[in-house]
Amino acid sequence: MDTTTHSSSTPTPTPTPTTTTTTSTSSLLNPKMNPNTPSRTIYSDRFIPSRSSSNFALFDLTPPSTSSSSNPSSDDSNSAYKTLLRAALFGPEFAAPLNRNKFSKSLQFSPLNSNIFKFKSETRRSLYSLSPFVFDDEFKGVSPPPVKAPRKVPRSPYKVLDAPALQDDFYLNLVDWSSQNVLAVGLGNCVYLWHASSSKVVKLCDLGLDDSICSVGWAQRGTHLAIGTSNGKLQIWDASRCKKVRTMEGHRLRVGALAWSSSILSTGSRDKSILHRDIRSQEDFVSKLSGHKSEVCGLKWSYDNRELASGGNDNRLFVWNQHSTQPVLKYCEHTAAVKAIAWSPHLHGLLASGGGTADRCIRFWNTTTNSHVSCMDTGSQVCNLVWSKNVNEIVSTHGYSQNQIIVWKYPTMSKLATLTGHTYRVLYLAISPDGQTIVTGAGDETLRFWNVFPSPRSQNSGSKIGASSLGRTQIR
C-alpha cells in the first residue's frame, strides 16, 4: 500500500531572505545590537589580534601625567615600574612623562612599521648583558660592561730562518710541521729537521745529485716523514732514528703532493694520478685514483678521514671518498691551478680552495650538500690555505703580485691582518701543533714565523714555540 501523501496542487512558495535574517545573524555576532538578547561574552577557540590600532590601555602604560590625574593614589614604585617597562617596550624616548595627546601622536607608526614591538640594533648594549632592558642616559648610575677590544695580530715575524736552495716552484710542498713540534724542510736534494723547542737543526737525508725533494709530509703521530722526489719515488723515514724505513714506487713523474690518513698515505704526481699507499702493506700502493687531466698539486684529507680533496693544474677541485676510484664531487669554477686546499675543523664538510694567478679567488664548498658557499677575490695568486683549530679563522698566503699573508675571519671574510715581508711568492705554509704559530717559506730563501692565532684558552697569550730564540739564523 502506497503511504506517500501528495501535497496540494498549489506549490508552497520558498521564503526569500529578509532583513530579519540579516538582523538575526548580526545579533548572534554582536548581542548588543539586539535589545531583547541579554548581554553575554562570546568565547572562541583562538585569539586573532587586530593591529589596526594600538590599544595601550591593555598594557596599563599610560604616561605618568595622565595616570596621576586619574588615579592620585598610585604610588611611586608602581610609577617607576611603568616607566621602566614602557622604556623597555617602546624605547627610552617614551620613558619621560608626556601628555596624552603627544604620547598618542608619537605612537602612530607608519603603515610600513605598524607593530607595537619594533626590532632595532642595540649598538650601546653589550652582548653579554643579562638585563632585558636598554641602558641609556635616562637611567643614571647603570653602565654597560666595556666592549672587548679586537685581537691584535703582530705585523712582523718573531723569527726568521735562512733556507738556502728553497725552491721557487708553485707545484711543490716543501715545508711541514709535525705534531711533535719538528719542522721538516726540503732544500734542494736534502731534508732538514728544525726542532722548535730547542732550535736544533738536523740533516735527515741527502738524495744526491740525481734527485731532488718535491714534497714532505709528516704522519699524524709525527714520527714518520714521507718524502716525495723528482724521480717519482716515495721514501718513508723514521725521524726519531734518522733512518729510512722503505722506498715506494708507482709514479712515473715527480711527487709534489702528500696527505696522510692514519696509516694510509696518498700521493699526487705530475703523471696526473693519485696513489693510496698503506705503509703496513708490502705493496707499493693499494689503489689508484684517476680523474685529473694535469699535475696533482694539492691533497688534503678531511678531519674525519672520510673525504680526500685534490687540486690540479687542470683548474679542477675533486672530492673522493675512502673507496672511490673516481671523484664523487667535481668543482670546476676555478680558472687557474688549485694548490691551496683546507678543510674546516669547525664545520663538517666545509672545504676551502684557492686558485692561482689567473683566478686569485678563495672559494668555500659544502661537500655534504654539494653546494658552492661563497667566493672571495683576494687580488693575488693563492698559494696556501690553513684553518685555525682554535678560532674560526683562516690564513692564506699569496704570490703574484703582492706576496702577502692574510688572516681572515670566517664566515664574514673580513681581514684581521695583512702580513708582508717576503720578497718572493709565499709558496709554503705550515702551522704549529698548538695552532698559534704559522711558518711561511718563499723563493727569497727565508722561513718566517708569525704569531697569528690565539691559544685555545686565551686570545691574548703568545706562542711559546721558538719564542726563546728570536733573531735570524740559518737552517743549515
Side-chain angles (χ1 to χ4, degrees), residues 398-465:
H398 300 268
Y400 302 124
S401 58
Q402 301 181 42
N403 306 328
Q404 77 273 41
I405 304 158
I406 303 178
V407 183
W408 309 84
K409 181 71 175 179
Y410 188 83
T412 61
M413 291 305 287
S414 57
K415 292 183 181 180
L416 296 179
T418 300
L419 311 176
T420 57
H422 284 290
T423 57
Y424 280 64
R425 298 180 295 174
V426 189
L427 297 178
Y428 310 110
L429 172 66
I431 190 167
S432 63
D434 66 0
Q436 299 181 61
T437 304
I438 62 169
V439 58
T440 56
D444 57 12
E445 298 184 341
T446 64
L447 296 173
R448 298 172 185 262
F449 295 80
W450 317 77
N451 287 324
V452 296
F453 295 131
S455 66
R457 296 182 180 179
S458 171
Q459 293 191 3
N460 296 321
S461 63
S463 174
K464 297 180 181 179
I465 299 175

Side-chain angles (χ1 to χ4, degrees), residues 373-409:
V373 179
S374 61
C375 176
M376 170 61 69
D377 190 341
T378 66
S380 295
Q381 176 190 40
V382 184
C383 301
N384 294 279
L385 291 168
V386 67
W387 223 297
S388 168
K389 63 181 181 180
N390 302 334
V391 288
N392 200 9
E393 298 171 6
I394 191 170
V395 64
S396 59
T397 70
H398 300 268
Y400 302 124
S401 58
Q402 301 181 42
N403 306 328
Q404 77 273 41
I405 304 158
I406 303 178
V407 183
W408 309 84
K409 181 71 175 179

Side-chain angles (χ1 to χ4, degrees), residues 153-424:
V153 179
R155 294 302 197 270
S156 59
Y158 70 83
K159 187 175 184 63
V160 179
L161 291 177
D162 286 327
L166 185 60
Q167 298 299 309
D168 183 30
D169 192 327
F170 179 80
Y171 300 99
L172 306 185
N173 292 275
L174 298 177
V175 177
D176 197 23
W177 207 328
S178 77
S179 60
Q180 304 300 316
N181 207 13
V182 179
L183 187 71
V185 184
L187 300 178
N189 51 13
C190 301
V191 173
Y192 292 85
L193 305 180
W194 180 77
H195 296 261
S197 58
S198 61
S199 296
K200 180 182 178 180
V201 178
V202 175
K203 184 178 180 179
L204 180 66
C205 67
D206 187 341
L207 302 183
L209 299 178
D210 297 333
D211 208 350
S212 61
I213 309 296
C214 295
S215 57
V216 294
W218 287 102
Q220 293 169 342
R221 294 184 178 180
T223 56
H224 286 79
L225 180 69
I227 301 173
T229 74
S230 59
N231 288 340
K233 296 181 179 181
L234 178 73
Q235 297 183 4
I236 306 295
W237 285 74
D238 185 348
S240 61
R241 298 183 298 163
C242 291
K243 181 178 180 181
K244 182 168 66 173
V245 176
R246 63 185 299 186
T247 299
M248 310 174 80
E249 300 184 354
H251 288 298
R252 295 179 290 103
L253 300 173
R254 69 179 182 185
V255 182
L258 304 172
W260 285 89
S261 172
S262 186
S263 60
I264 301 297
L265 173 62
S266 302
T267 60
S269 171
R270 198 172 189 174
D271 64 11
K272 312 173 188 178
S273 67
I274 301 171
L275 298 181
H276 287 329
R277 309 172 187 269
D278 191 338
I279 60 174
R280 302 167 300 181
S281 173
Q282 294 182 354
E283 303 295 331
D284 284 339
F285 61 93
V286 294
S287 62
K288 182 177 181 179
L289 311 184
S290 301
H292 284 286
K293 304 301 181 183
S294 188
E295 180 173 8
V296 180
C297 51
L299 279 180
K300 281 293 187 319
W301 277 98
S302 62
Y303 282 88
D304 58 5
N305 293 326
R306 294 184 178 180
E307 293 178 304
L308 173 67
S310 65
N313 196 32
D314 55 1
N315 310 342
R316 299 293 188 262
L317 174 68
F318 293 157
V319 178
W320 320 71
N321 61 28
Q322 296 170 306
H323 309 291
S324 64
T325 56
Q326 293 293 323
V328 295
L329 298 177
K330 297 182 179 181
Y331 300 120
C332 307
E333 280 76 3
H334 284 293
T335 57
V338 182
K339 176 192 177 186
I341 300 173
W343 291 92
S344 170
H346 309 288
L347 185 61
H348 174 72
L350 180 58
L351 175 64
S353 60
T357 307
D359 183 85
R360 306 180 307 275
C361 291
I362 299 175
R363 296 181 182 270
F364 296 90
W365 318 87
N366 187 333
T367 61
T368 303
T369 60
N370 189 20
S371 59
H372 181 229
V373 179
S374 61
C375 176
M376 170 61 69
D377 190 341
T378 66
S380 295
Q381 176 190 40
V382 184
C383 301
N384 294 279
L385 291 168
V386 67
W387 223 297
S388 168
K389 63 181 181 180
N390 302 334
V391 288
N392 200 9
E393 298 171 6
I394 191 170
V395 64
S396 59
T397 70
H398 300 268
Y400 302 124
S401 58
Q402 301 181 42
N403 306 328
Q404 77 273 41
I405 304 158
I406 303 178
V407 183
W408 309 84
K409 181 71 175 179
Y410 188 83
T412 61
M413 291 305 287
S414 57
K415 292 183 181 180
L416 296 179
T418 300
L419 311 176
T420 57
H422 284 290
T423 57
Y424 280 64

